[in-house]
């Protein structure tokens, strides 16, 4: 666009190789850091998971959020959840596994995985600011049945810094979708988490294997530094 100064190029220490990116064409995408996944009484716990395992990702994700805001990156938050009438929830998803409480059932944070309920909210440490897009998604991938592609293309985004939960489910599905759409994806390892630690490690290993077949993996400290560093 005429009159827009060129974005300075930043260098990010990542695996399998360092990566150059420009703040103006880079977005931070924070996947599903919702109470339903991170707090007791929500969807994650209903599936038999120890939700305390996800807490470690909050502080690194908050550091990423602060750094991205300072650097002027587009910040996109996603939330997994369904309409109150469950019209966008496939019966096969509702019935999956042997949960103690199913999607749409009443729980300690309102109806489980339903938009508008307390459990659907993003945790307070990562609350979106006005103007930051919040993408509500019915599936695991953030591109499926959402307007994320339009949000990114309107800003000419080329590179995604991705964090959130869970590493091997919604983070991985979104990165795979994004990779196929031509985005360069950097998964911020310590700002992601899984209920199953071995799956977190395997998920990260799969991203960066084979020369970065799905993208890159970096630590939040390196990414914050590449974004200009400094305190929140
Ligand atoms: C899951 C997610 N694990 N956000 N959702 O069901 O990863």
């Amino acid at each position: 666009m005429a009159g827009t100064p060129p974005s300075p190029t930043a260098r990010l220490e990542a695996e399998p190789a360092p990566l150059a990116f420009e703040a103006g064409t880079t977005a931070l995408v924070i996947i599903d850091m919702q109470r339903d996944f991170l707090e007791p009484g929500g969807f994650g716990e209903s599936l038999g998971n120890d939700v305390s395992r996800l807490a470690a990702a909050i502080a690194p994700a908050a550091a990423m959020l602060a750094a991205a805001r300072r650097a002027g990156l587009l910040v996109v938050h996603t939330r997994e959840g369904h309409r109150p009438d469950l019209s966008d929830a496939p019966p096969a998803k509702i019935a999956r596994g042997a949960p103690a409480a199913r999607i749409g059932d009443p729980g300690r944070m309102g109806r489980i995985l339903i938009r508008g309920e307390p459990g659907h909210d993003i945790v307070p440490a990562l609350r979106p600011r006005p103007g930051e897009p919040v993408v509500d998604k019915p599936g695991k991938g953030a591109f499926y049945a959402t307007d994320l592609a339009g949000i990114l293309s309107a800003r000419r985004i080329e590179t995604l810094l991705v964090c959130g939960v869970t590493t091997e489910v919604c983070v991985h599905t979104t990165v795979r979708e994004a990779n196929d759409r031509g985005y360069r994806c950097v998964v911020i390892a310590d700002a992601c988490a899984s209920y199953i630690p071995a799956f977190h490690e395997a998920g990260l290993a799969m991203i960066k294997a084979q020369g970065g077949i799905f993208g890159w993996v970096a630590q939040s400290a390196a990414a914050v530094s590449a974004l200009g560093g400094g305190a929140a």
Side-chain angles (χ1 to χ4, degrees):
M1 195 178 9
T4 304
S7 304
T9 300
R11 185 178 190 274
L12 174 57
E13 286 304 327
E15 293 181 287
L19 174 77
F21 69 95
E22 295 184 354
T25 55
T26 299
L28 174 66
V29 181
I30 305 180
I31 304 287
D32 300 359
M33 290 294 279
Q34 297 162 253
R35 299 183 65 202
D36 251 320
F37 294 106
L38 286 125
E39 295 185 14
F43 182 59
E45 191 176 77
S46 81
L47 296 174
N49 295 303
D50 174 1
V51 295
S52 71
R53 292 226 162 98
L54 304 191
I58 295 176
M64 288 297 302
L65 181 56
R69 284 171 172 163
R70 276 196 307 270
L73 264 60
L74 172 67
V75 175
V76 180
H77 307 259
T78 76
R79 299 183 296 201
E80 181 179 347
H82 296 282
R83 297 178 187 276
D85 66 2
L86 297 178
S87 58
D88 61 353
K93 180 177 180 181
I94 297 173
R96 197 76 49 84
R102 296 190 186 278
I103 295 169
D105 286 349
R108 296 203 323 256
M109 293 187 288
R111 293 179 66 203
I112 291 173
L113 216 60
I114 297 298
R115 295 178 190 167
E117 299 288 344
H120 189 253
D121 283 347
I122 291 171
V123 295
L126 299 168
R127 187 170 289 138
R129 280 188 183 160
E132 292 175 350
V134 178
V135 172
D136 281 328
K137 60 189 187 63
K140 305 306 183 192
F143 288 85
Y144 170 69
T146 74
D147 54 3
L148 178 59
I151 291 169
L152 298 177
S153 69
R155 291 278 295 256
R156 295 181 162 70
I157 297 297
E158 298 170 358
T159 303
L160 307 181
L161 307 180
V162 185
C163 56
V165 297
T166 60
T167 314
E168 79 281 11
V169 182
C170 290
V171 171
H172 231 272
T173 306
T174 299
V175 167
R176 288 170 183 237
E177 288 181 326
N179 183 58
D180 279 349
R181 286 167 171 78
Y183 293 99
R184 304 187 312 160
C185 298
V186 185
V187 176
I188 310 301
D190 55 326
C192 296
S194 171
Y195 302 119
I196 304 162
F199 288 0
H200 172 77
E201 296 304 331
L204 297 175
M206 284 184 221
I207 299 286
K208 66 186 179 188
Q210 304 177 71
I213 197 144
F214 294 124
W216 290 257
V217 175
Q219 298 297 320
S220 62
V224 167
S225 169
L227 289 168

